[in-house]
Amino acid sequence: MATLFVNAPAFITLLCCFLIESHQSSFDYDFVTCGSALKLINTANGVRLHSHDVKYGSGSGQQSVTGVDSSDDHNSYWQVRGKTGAVCTRGNPVKCGQTIRLTHVSTMKNLHTHHFQSPLSHNLEVSAFGDNGEGDEGDNWVIVCSSKYWSRSQRVRIKHVTTDHYLHVTGDTYGRPIHGQREISAYPNLNDLNYWQAAEGIYIKPTENKSRTAERDIDDDEDDDDDDEDHVGHDEF
């Protein structure tokens, strides 16, 4: 099955469908699933992962990624997709240790890091990269958590595959032209500033049949991620 990807108009349509469905029945599925479009909140600083069409004035010059306080900002939605070249079947729960991409819904660029320095803390710069949802291997991140699947109620870390750095918020604040927004960077060590939790979003619930078979049929790249799962399973929360 092809990976679901939504641009802004499709996102609005999906939102309408979700509101209709949620009116009919309550959403009681606990896990983050492939195809879901969600906000991610840094639990230490209380900011949501954000991007917009403002480029860094230094470093890579790519689209900036920041943290914002607002819970209703429309530029803070990211869609869960399979890692580069792989399928993440819509509605399947994301496993702890699974490699994914996070695609910014409004601009269709992927969460990305590399060896440029971040502007304020001089950690690694985090940017939004690619065109129409396609970038490169620097877009791949591992979900680090201690259970079997990524729970919406659980704090997780998001680890970059190439650099082994974690998505991180130091608390450093930008001036103009993005006054008050927080710097997002990638950091090499574990600490409380690189914990994230799923927040507001459009969560794709698997069908009843898929829920019963999820143990056997998670995604097409499960075997490729087994080593990641074994490695991150030792983290203590």
Side-chain angles (χ1 to χ4, degrees), residues 7-166:
N7 57 21
F11 175 74
I12 298 300
T13 301
L14 184 59
L15 176 60
C16 292
C17 294
F18 175 79
L19 291 175
I20 292 171
E21 181 179 348
S22 62
H23 176 73
Q24 295 172 341
S25 61
S26 60
F27 189 94
D28 58 359
Y29 195 70
D30 184 52
F31 303 112
V32 176
T33 54
C34 297
S36 295
L38 70 156
K39 296 182 180 182
L40 290 163
I41 186 167
N42 181 267
T43 59
N45 286 278
V47 295
R48 286 161 176 79
L49 188 68
H50 169 97
S51 190
H52 44 215
D53 192 16
V54 175
K55 294 179 171 56
Y56 287 118
S58 60
S60 70
Q62 294 172 5
Q63 182 172 299
S64 59
V65 173
T66 63
V68 297
D69 295 314
S70 175
S71 62
D72 59 2
D73 177 80
H74 71 279
N75 278 322
S76 299
Y77 285 102
W78 301 82
Q79 188 177 34
V80 179
R81 301 174 65 214
K83 67 181 181 180
T84 303
V87 172
C88 187
T89 303
R90 182 178 185 267
N92 276 354
V94 176
K95 293 181 67 177
C96 294
Q98 185 175 332
T99 302
I100 63 167
R101 285 175 293 175
L102 290 166
T103 301
H104 189 241
V105 170
S106 297
T107 63
M108 301 173 70
K109 295 182 182 293
N110 297 322
L111 187 70
H112 181 93
T113 191
H114 37 217
H115 289 286
F116 290 98
Q117 281 193 341
S118 59
L120 303 180
S121 65
H122 306 300
N123 297 324
L124 296 188
E125 177 194 275
V126 172
S127 65
F129 175 74
D131 294 302
N132 296 317
E134 298 306 321
D136 62 22
E137 297 293 330
D139 304 338
N140 293 328
W141 301 79
V142 175
I143 299 303
V144 181
C145 45
S146 57
S147 56
K148 186 172 181 61
Y149 301 116
W150 179 6
S151 170
R152 295 166 59 197
S153 61
Q154 179 183 23
R155 295 192 308 170
V156 303
R157 290 187 172 100
I158 303 174
K159 183 178 182 180
H160 191 245
V161 171
T162 304
T163 64
D164 286 333
H165 281 50
Y166 296 88

Side-chain angles (χ1 to χ4, degrees), residues 93 95 148-149 210-218 222:
K95 293 181 67 177
K148 186 172 181 61
Y149 301 116
K210 185 179 291 183
S211 297
R212 290 195 297 262
T213 61
E215 293 284 336
R216 303 189 301 273
D217 180 25
I218 299 304
E222 179 179 2

Side-chain angles (χ1 to χ4, degrees), residues 196-213:
W196 298 84
Q197 187 170 345
E200 306 84 4
I202 300 170
Y203 292 88
I204 306 300
K205 187 175 181 179
T207 64
E208 183 178 354
N209 180 64
K210 185 179 291 183
S211 297
R212 290 195 297 262
T213 61

